[in-house]
Structures are given as C-alpha cells and as structure tokens.
Amino acid sequence: SALPTKVVHLFRSPFDNLVARIRFGVKKRRREGQTQDELIQFQSSKEGMQAWCNNFDQKYAQNELDSPLLDQALLRRFQSLPCRAEWFRYVQWHNSALEMTKRKRLPVHILYYEDYTKDYNGTVQQLFEFLELPTVKEPLQFIPGKTYTDFYDHEEALLAARFVRELATPDVWILLRRY
C-alpha cells in the first residue's frame, strides 16, 4: 500500500520476452479448456509463433486502423512486423515504468535478465546492495530461461528493432539497444 522507495527495472531480450509471452498464452488457453488439437498450430517453434502472430495481427488489424491513439503512418510502415501489438506492449511498458520512476524521483537499479547468466553472484550482490538487504544465505542456483533467436529471421529482427526504436523513449532506447 505504500509507495515504492526504490525500483528494480528488469529488461529481457524483447525477442525472448515476446516468445515467452506467446508460450504463456498457449498454456493459459490450455488451462482454460482449449484442446491440444485447437492449440497444435501454436507449437513452440518459429511456425507456431508465426501462426500466433498472424492470428492476433488479423484479429486486431481493424482496431489498430480505427484507433485515434495510434500513429497510422507508423502502423503502415510496420504492417509486415509479426505481433505488432506485442511489440507495442513491450515498449510501452518500459516507457511507462521509466517515466514513472523519473516523475517520482525514485532510485532505479537497471537489471538485465541475461546478466544472471554472465555473472550470477555479482548480479545478485549488486541487487542486494541496491536494496540494502543483507545476504542471509547463498542464493539459489540460477537456471536461465530459453532463448528464441531461431524464432526470427534477420529481416524480422531488423524490422522489430526499427519498430522498437520508433516507439521507445530516448531513455528506454539507450537501455534496449544492446538487443
């Protein structure tokens, strides 16, 4: 109920994040009663991701075109980008989160998911120091999530990067451009 006094802002590769969200969406549909036969088209593969994206891109295309809040020229330039709405959500979440921390003048610790795989102990130690928490015991072993670089080809990745660049605030772009 109290306002936060510090913020940990976690970034994950937008490509991995998008595929993970799709996989979560498939699992959610399964829990809600859709059968394996209905979900087979959304298998965990590049083809499954494309089927998911095509489904949602077609479903919401008219809403995107009718929205007075969306830049229509931008949408036309990126019409061939799979999962436009997911990319939009990803960038807008980071834009909004960083904007809120600026407005509230909150200290922010930027954390990249991939840092855990490069220097787990150092990453955890920096996080604890920022949060001013003592190390009570050895942290649990980090088990990295999957990466999904094979779900995109080079052209799709470039198009996604350009779309993200157009939507991101300058502060967010600085933090995302490593991907």
Side-chain angles (χ1 to χ4, degrees), residues 8-170:
V8 176
H9 191 123
L10 177 65
F11 285 90
R12 184 178 186 192
S13 160
F15 301 101
D16 293 346
N17 190 76
L18 183 127
V19 176
R21 280 181 51 83
I22 291 169
R23 292 180 54 147
F24 176 77
V26 170
K27 287 178 186 176
K28 182 177 179 228
R29 285 179 172 204
R30 188 175 294 121
R31 283 192 307 268
E32 292 171 350
Q34 284 194 339
T35 66
Q36 189 60 28
D37 288 344
E38 293 171 305
L39 296 172
I40 193 68
Q41 65 180 324
F42 306 130
Q43 61 192 323
S44 185
S45 66
K46 179 180 171 103
E47 295 75 26
M49 185 201 75
Q50 287 174 338
W52 180 275
C53 291
N54 288 339
N55 182 358
F56 277 90
D57 288 344
Q58 290 173 11
K59 183 175 180 178
Y60 295 109
Q62 194 59 51
N63 291 7
E64 290 174 355
L65 293 173
D66 292 343
S67 174
L69 303 174
L70 297 173
D71 179 341
Q72 296 303 309
L74 177 80
L75 289 175
R76 282 191 297 279
R77 283 197 315 276
F78 292 98
Q79 189 172 6
S80 64
L81 175 64
C83 282
R84 283 178 311 279
E86 287 292 334
W87 287 105
F88 181 84
R89 280 186 201 98
Y90 177 88
V91 175
Q92 287 305 105
W93 189 93
H94 287 293
N95 285 345
S96 297
L98 277 184
E99 180 62 28
M100 184 273 306
T101 60
K102 272 181 156 179
R103 286 184 184 179
K104 300 291 183 182
R105 294 185 178 97
L106 295 170
V108 179
H109 178 70
I110 301 296
L111 182 63
Y112 292 96
Y113 178 84
E114 297 79 13
D115 291 348
Y116 284 112
T117 61
K118 294 176 186 167
D119 179 15
Y120 178 70
N121 290 334
T123 301
V124 169
Q125 185 61 40
Q126 288 175 6
L127 178 59
F128 278 30
E129 287 171 9
F130 174 75
L131 296 173
E132 301 176 48
L133 295 173
T135 304
V136 178
K137 62 179 183 175
E138 282 295 311
L140 298 173
Q141 178 185 4
F142 177 70
I143 301 170
K146 296 179 181 177
T147 59
Y148 301 99
T149 53
D150 56 333
F151 280 51
Y152 283 87
D153 63 34
H154 184 69
E155 291 303 314
E156 290 167 333
L158 287 176
L159 189 60
R162 286 195 295 270
F163 187 67
V164 168
R165 175 65 190 104
E166 293 242 4
L167 291 172
T169 63

